[in-house]
Amino acid sequence: GNSVTQMEGPVTLSEEAFLTINCTYTATGYPSLFWYVQYPGEGLQLLLKATKADDKGSNKGFEATYRKETTSFHLEKGSVQVSDSAVYFCALRDSSYKLIFGSGTRLLVRP
Amino acid sequence: NAGVTQTPKFQVLKTGQSMTLQCAQDMNHEYMSWYRQDPGMGLRLIHYSVGAGITDQGEVPNGYNVSRSTTEDFPLRLLSAAPSQTSVYFCASSLGQGSASNTGELFFGEGSRLTVL
């Protein structure tokens, strides 16, 4: 079946460091891909998305490119801030319209 | 805007008790779903609904029932609670698959933390 695999955390970085969180997927057809973020004590909120191959989603300095050849959707940010500390979830929405999540990656940014 | 509202936010049950987690949305979304979040396992889909009167099972449906009598409400029922159902539960909604303005984004409630002793 369809699935999403994320790198395990936690990821600990110093402020202004470069961030990469890896995400790969297995799916039939052409799923839409998403990154959601969960701040402490809150629900998930959409960070960015891409709906077709080679699309780049971006928001708040974060970027991810839909790579069909490598079935990947890695999240990147050039300079992280303490306020970026959260749990990040990669997800795909398949042809049945269900949203399937990866296990999440906790990011901790130290001042 | 209220968005997706879940109640209660916290609940403690004894094994064998029953309860209902409430979920309501005011965005006229056709699609609604319930997830549970457990450490190291991400979010797993319990049940979902593509419209009033239609429900279907997700990845982990056992021990849970749902109904969708109105577009706004999608309650999740635990018939006989077990310690394995200790988790954080999230309700989420979105526009329907056929909606021209659908971006695919799911809108989440703030979660309900359930402990079963």
Side-chain angles (χ1 to χ4, degrees), chain B residues 8-117:
Chain B
K9 286 185 168 34
F10 300 95
Q11 183 72 51
V12 178
L13 292 177
K14 294 181 180 179
T15 297
Q17 287 185 318
S18 63
M19 77 157 298
T20 299
L21 298 176
Q22 302 290 345
C23 176
Q25 52 88 13
D26 62 357
M27 297 173 283
N28 201 30
H29 284 170
E30 290 182 344
Y31 182 92
M32 296 187 74
S33 55
W34 277 101
Y35 288 86
R36 59 178 288 173
Q37 183 178 25
D38 302 293
M41 302 188 73
L43 281 81
R44 293 181 292 170
L45 182 64
I46 304 172
H47 286 284
Y48 65 100
S49 168
V50 298
I54 306 170
T55 64
D56 207 344
Q57 296 181 349
E59 181 184 357
V60 288
N62 292 342
Y64 307 95
N65 276 359
V66 292
S67 60
R68 185 90 180 273
S69 56
T70 67
T71 298
E72 293 79 18
D73 300 300
F74 191 46
L76 178 72
R77 297 183 184 85
L78 283 70
L79 304 177
S80 179
S84 61
Q85 294 178 303
T86 294
S87 187
V88 180
Y89 293 84
F90 286 98
C91 180
S93 71
S94 75
L95 291 169
Q97 192 168 10
S99 172
S101 54
N102 185 10
T103 63
E105 178 180 1
L106 268 184
F107 293 82
F108 283 80
E110 294 184 346
S112 299
R113 183 176 295 275
L114 175 67
T115 302
V116 183
L117 303 175

Side-chain angles (χ1 to χ4, degrees), chain A residues 34 36 38 41-44 46 49 89 93-104, chain B residues 31 35 37 40-43 45 48 90 94-97 102-106 108-110:
Chain A
F34 303 83
Y36 280 80
Q38 184 180 30
E42 299 183 9
L44 279 72
L46 180 67
K49 68 178 177 71
F89 292 92
R93 197 151 204 183
D94 63 15
S95 58
S96 69
Y97 209 54
K98 290 180 286 189
L99 194 65
I100 298 168
F101 287 89
S103 58
Chain B
Y31 182 92
Y35 288 86
Q37 183 178 25
M41 302 188 73
L43 281 81
L45 182 64
Y48 65 100
F90 286 98
S94 75
L95 291 169
Q97 192 168 10
N102 185 10
T103 63
E105 178 180 1
L106 268 184
F108 283 80
E110 294 184 346

Side-chain angles (χ1 to χ4, degrees), chain A residues 57-73:
Chain A
S58 61
N59 186 25
K60 299 181 180 180
F62 291 90
E63 293 183 339
T65 301
Y66 190 144
R67 301 285 189 199
K68 190 161 179 63
E69 63 275 14
T70 54
T71 61
S72 65
F73 193 54

